[in-house]
Amino acid sequence: MADRFPGAAFFAQGGGEIGNNKANFRALAAAAGVPTLPGRTCRSIAEATEATGALLQDFESGAVVVKQAHNGAGVGNQLLVRDPEMAVDHVGARHLHHLAPGPEGIAAYWAKRWPWASGEGRWPVVIEEFAPGADAVYSEHYASDAGTRATETGRLLYVGRRLSHQVVPLDGVTEPVRAALLDGGTRLAEAYRAFGYRGHLSADALVLPDDSVVFTEVNAQVSGSLHIYQSIAHGIVDVTAAPARQVVEYHVPPTWAVPSFAAFLASLEDLGLAYDPATRTGVIVSMPAIPLAPGEPVQFVFCLAYDPAEGHAGAFDRLDARFASVPAGTYDASQHIGTGAVSFSS
């Protein structure tokens, strides 16, 4: 497939691992002159213990983030806190650990968690300073043989330390912040292109309270937002046309019990929520609806195109009233991944 697959030789030799390793990212960002949070790449329990203690001592936040080299959607991140009040929602770390006082607490943590963090010793582990009050943003790019180009910028929002939704295009930032995000994302895209990566990549970053921008990782792969803004928001709904439209993507919540794809489609027709090309509003299912096991409710992802003046909460509430069967608070949210929404607008 080399004539139809840019970078085929690179990927055939395991190159995808190079671009999607969070430890490699810190080295590549340093080489490209892209700012990152203070942190260390550790290859042993001893290094991790020393780095954790040093970061907790040197910075006022009193918290650090531990990152697996490979994992996504915050599943591979753990927030270590001295003060339980630092357990805030906006950080992309699915797991939380309250450190016991003193060096003994740090040593005990790593004695237990090093196998998880390192993949049984297979990968290095990243430990970074935690930045409270930061906004999570990203700059997506495309790398080709001819160069790189920026494709989209956006914001990530977290609830309960899990991704709740993302908004595209990025708004509510100053022009210097936007320029710093695009500059850093471009530098990273060029670095990744230089070592052979080809395709879409997303440079994740944080806007700190002082409006400085630091980068946290690169996802060198087709992102979870590409299909929404490229194929649905622009290709189907055309959010740039008048009247204005926006698109939000939801995962089926764990409180819902949708018996089948056919039942969902029938409910859309019954509720008047099926996508209507004339009004450019309604629901578009964006991921196959499949049961996790035979006879179980189906799990899938769907988009909702709507008039921004009206919002999308009303339509979602009607679906919620139809399918909600598990009372909120009676399920373990930590067992479910991706129960939020992804928002896009022109």
Side-chain angles (χ1 to χ4, degrees), residues 163-309:
L163 180 62
S164 169
H165 58 284
Q166 34 178 314
V167 179
V168 172
L170 179 64
D171 58 2
V173 299
T174 65
E175 285 308 310
V177 165
R178 188 183 304 276
L181 178 62
L182 283 170
D183 177 68
T186 299
R187 286 172 179 263
L188 287 165
E190 291 289 351
Y192 279 59
R193 188 191 76 84
F195 67 62
Y197 180 80
R198 297 292 182 270
H200 288 273
L201 56 87
S202 182
D204 289 356
L206 296 175
V207 181
L208 303 182
D210 65 359
D211 266 3
S212 60
V213 176
V214 294
F215 287 80
T216 57
E217 67 177 13
V218 164
N219 295 298
Q221 55 196 315
V222 172
S223 74
S225 61
L226 178 65
H227 70 285
I228 309 169
Y229 72 75
Q230 186 180 79
S231 300
I232 295 176
H234 292 284
I236 298 175
V237 181
D238 191 5
V239 294
T240 62
R245 293 291 182 262
Q246 291 181 303
V247 176
V248 58
E249 184 178 73
Y250 292 97
H251 292 254
V252 169
T255 53
W256 288 14
V258 182
S260 67
F261 186 33
F264 185 72
L265 294 181
S267 293
L268 294 181
E269 294 290 345
D270 183 43
L271 295 170
L273 292 176
Y275 182 72
D276 181 354
T279 62
R280 296 163 40 237
T281 61
V283 172
I284 302 169
V285 177
S286 50
M287 182 178 289
I290 57 174
L292 297 179
E296 289 192 2
V298 292
Q299 296 289 313
F300 56 97
V301 175
F302 63 92
C303 288
L304 175 62
Y306 62 96
D307 182 342

Side-chain angles (χ1 to χ4, degrees), residues 55-72:
L55 287 168
L56 288 173
Q57 180 178 345
D58 290 346
F59 299 100
E60 295 180 356
S61 68
V64 297
V65 178
V66 174
K67 297 181 176 181
Q68 294 176 323
H70 296 286
N71 220 322

